[in-house]
Amino acid sequence: MASNKTKRFLLSENDIPTQWYNIQAEMPNKPIPAVNPQTKEPLKAEDLYPVFCEECSRQEFDQQNKWIPIPEAVREQYKCYRSTPLVRAYGLEKALGTPAHIYFKNESVSPVGSHKLNSALAQAYYCKQEGVTNMTTETGAGQWGTALSYAAQAFGIEAAVYQVKISYEQKPYRRSLMQTFGAQVTPSPSMSTRAGKDILTKEPNNQGSLGTAISEAIELARMTPHCKYVLGSVLSHVTLHQTVIGLEAEKQMEMAGEYPDVVIACFGGGSNFGGISFPFLRHNLSGERHTRFIAAEPAACPKLTKGEFRLDYGDVAGYTPLLPMYTLGHDFMPANIHAGGLRYHGAGTIVSQLLKDGLIEAVDITQPDSFAAGVLFARTEGIVPAPESCHAIAATINEANRCKETGEEKVILFNLSGHGLIDMTAYDNYLAGNLG
């Protein structure tokens, strides 16, 4: 067992996972098939080929293979920042006066400051292998757009990013990062697509949502030769690529001599939540463990805690397949909260099925509570967290405070999905008392 004062746990490059974990192969109830809105038939991988690259489309529907090999070219790119540290949050524990042991997986150390690069590199690689020359995508807060811009540059592909307009205006430096990496960035809704024009015709001052940006990105992909659409969350192949987080954390918790009783992550569409949770959840599915898994979503966009489980479009214009998910409705327009990456109306199909089956839990966090947690974390652990990650920290604090009440010495692990150094306007507003 490691010394109880060890702060950071790191793996060598040789210990970076060589395979992603595909939870679909082990789920007791497989996700309900998505539906082709034209034929009303269950969706097949080839239905996605016009929009997505073929390998990602096949991974989306793979319910047989438990382990998917990570291409060596992707693993070489991972070595730029992986493994990411597992950190014991001694400072936060002391400030809370809790007997709980709190750990966090620090994904903010990637070149783009978040976990999003784990899937961006994989998707860009598969696109390159297929001869794709252009990729389109959407982004909310800009974490995914930045990751895709970096990955596109790494594999020599042009990138066009539609950024939700309110985030485009709130986070100018995220836009600058994307442009620095060579991407074209457009605020959404825009006049560059039919979907954007239709939205702006009905509502000229529309500030956008991830659903509107997805519509525009898909439309551009359809109209552009040798172009594919790539997605940063929600779909199963994206979460698959993110399992590198939990697989590393599993080895690092072993180094720490502990195992998590609770695993927590913020929740927008499900990529970072699934990324850290699914490798640990496989031990629950086998009956070996009884860990709790908590998805922390914003109270302004509570699809898991207040949404309805049904088939729904993944975008506003209805370009996507009908997905079986917890949803607030594809035309839901969330409040303009600073956690732009969590402003999405629906949840991924895997997470939705797991919640439906009672295998995971969900909580909603208000914006003031999330920032209060983020500020406390910054003051005790020295890292300013992204507004999205603040939701996971708030949920962690709530669990640690329950341990204080009960005296239980539980082990809590959460995913610090990104840093907030380009989100300081949000912190300015919070510190000035201007956040509702």
Side-chain angles (χ1 to χ4, degrees):
M1 182 181 292
S3 162
N4 62 5
K5 284 300 180 184
T6 302
K7 179 73 174 171
R8 299 164 74 247
F9 300 88
L10 285 169
L11 303 174
S12 72
E13 287 185 0
N14 291 333
D15 287 323
I16 297 171
T18 58
Q19 301 175 98
W20 295 301
Y21 170 61
N22 180 21
I23 195 173
Q24 291 192 84
E26 296 196 299
M27 290 172 66
N29 294 314
K30 309 295 186 189
I32 298 167
V35 172
N36 185 318
Q38 277 75 48
T39 66
K40 308 302 180 187
E41 295 292 322
L43 202 68
K44 302 184 293 294
E46 49 265 37
D47 293 332
L48 298 183
Y49 291 174
V51 176
F52 292 91
C53 74
E54 293 185 13
E55 180 56 31
C56 288
S57 301
R58 286 189 287 269
Q59 289 177 359
E60 184 68 22
F61 292 90
D62 189 342
Q63 296 185 345
Q64 303 302 318
N65 296 298
K66 179 178 174 181
W67 299 102
I68 307 295
I70 301 175
E72 194 55 37
V74 174
R75 203 163 173 271
E76 283 301 310
Q77 289 289 337
Y78 279 173
K79 289 179 181 178
C80 294
Y81 62 103
R82 307 212 70 90
S83 73
T84 61
L86 177 77
V87 185
R88 176 77 181 268
Y90 288 113
L92 182 61
E93 290 174 17
K94 183 178 179 181
L96 296 174
T98 179
H101 293 185
I102 302 173
Y103 294 84
F104 62 94
K105 186 76 163 121
N106 187 2
E107 291 293 301
S108 77
V109 301
S110 83
V112 299
S114 81
H115 73 291
K116 292 290 188 179
L117 197 53
N118 300 326
S119 184
L121 288 167
Q123 293 187 61
Y125 167 79
Y126 289 129
C127 282
K128 185 70 173 181
Q129 292 298 104
E130 199 173 304
V132 170
T133 59
N134 295 72
M135 296 186 295
T136 71
T137 196
E138 78 295 325
T139 194
Q143 301 273 26
W144 167 247
T146 304
L148 195 276
S149 302
Y150 176 99
Q153 192 65 223
F155 287 103
I157 304 173
E158 295 296 318
V161 181
Y162 285 93
Q163 185 174 16
V164 176
K165 187 175 290 182
I166 184 65
S167 292
Y168 183 92
E169 294 165 353
Q170 285 178 340
K171 304 174 190 296
Y173 295 119
R174 192 75 66 187
R175 178 179 75 227
S176 298
L177 263 180
M178 289 184 264
Q179 292 167 336
T180 298
F181 289 133
Q184 174 189 324
V185 187
T186 304
S188 176
S190 73
M191 295 299 286
S192 67
T193 66
R194 171 53 52 195
K197 288 175 185 175
D198 288 347
I199 292 166
L200 289 173
T201 298
K202 292 178 185 175
E203 192 179 348
N205 295 321
N206 189 296
Q207 292 296 290
S209 70
L210 281 169
T212 65
I214 290 170
S215 295
E216 294 205 87
I218 290 176
E219 184 176 326
L220 181 62
R222 285 174 164 175
M223 294 166 53
T224 308
H226 308 295
C227 183
K228 295 294 182 182
Y229 169 67
V230 293
L231 188 66
S233 190
V234 182
L235 290 186
S236 302
H237 68 271
V238 184
T239 308
L240 169 75
H241 304 151
Q242 294 295 350
T243 58
V244 66
I245 303 170
L247 292 169
E248 284 186 0
E250 199 175 11
K251 293 180 182 178
Q252 290 163 315
M253 289 299 304
E254 197 172 314
M255 291 169 66
E258 302 208 82
Y259 192 90
D261 298 297
V262 187
V263 177
I264 299 171
C266 64
F267 192 90
S271 71
N272 97 86
F273 173 78
I276 194 166
S277 295
F278 291 174
F280 289 100
L281 181 54
R282 81 182 196 272
H283 301 299
N284 278 26
L285 297 178
S286 69
E288 299 169 67
R289 297 283 185 173
H290 302 283
T291 302
R292 291 172 58 214
F293 300 92
I294 302 174
E297 63 183 3
C301 197
K303 80 280 289 184
L304 294 178
T305 53
K306 295 183 173 63
E308 177 186 2
F309 184 84
R310 60 180 173 86
L311 288 171
D312 195 14
Y313 291 104
D315 69 319
V316 170
Y319 289 159
T320 72
L322 289 164
L323 304 171
M325 61 182 179
Y326 280 95
T327 178
L328 296 165
H330 67 278
D331 55 356
F332 175 78
M333 191 57 61
N336 294 331
I337 58 172
H338 284 278
L342 308 186
R343 295 176 69 249
Y344 185 63
H345 66 275
T349 59
I350 293 177
V351 171
S352 293
Q353 187 64 50
L354 292 171
L355 181 66
K356 189 169 181 284
D357 291 343
L359 295 170
I360 64 170
E361 307 168 32
V363 296
D364 56 43
I365 307 290
T366 67
Q367 183 163 240
D369 284 350
S370 71
F371 274 96
V375 168
L376 177 61
F377 184 78
R379 291 175 179 175
T380 55
E381 294 297 328
I383 301 171
V384 177
E388 292 80 11
S389 303
C390 289
H391 292 73
I393 297 168
T396 296
I397 289 172
N398 290 342
E399 289 297 315
N401 283 337
R402 288 191 188 96
C403 289
K404 185 177 179 179
E405 293 169 6
T406 63
E408 294 174 282
E409 197 176 272
K410 289 186 176 180
V411 177
I412 304 171
L413 168 65
F414 75 89
N415 196 26
L416 182 70
S417 54
H419 68 64
L421 296 179
I422 309 178
D423 300 292
M424 295 314 296
T425 301
Y427 281 91
D428 283 345
N429 289 334
Y430 170 74
L431 295 169
N434 294 331
L435 287 188

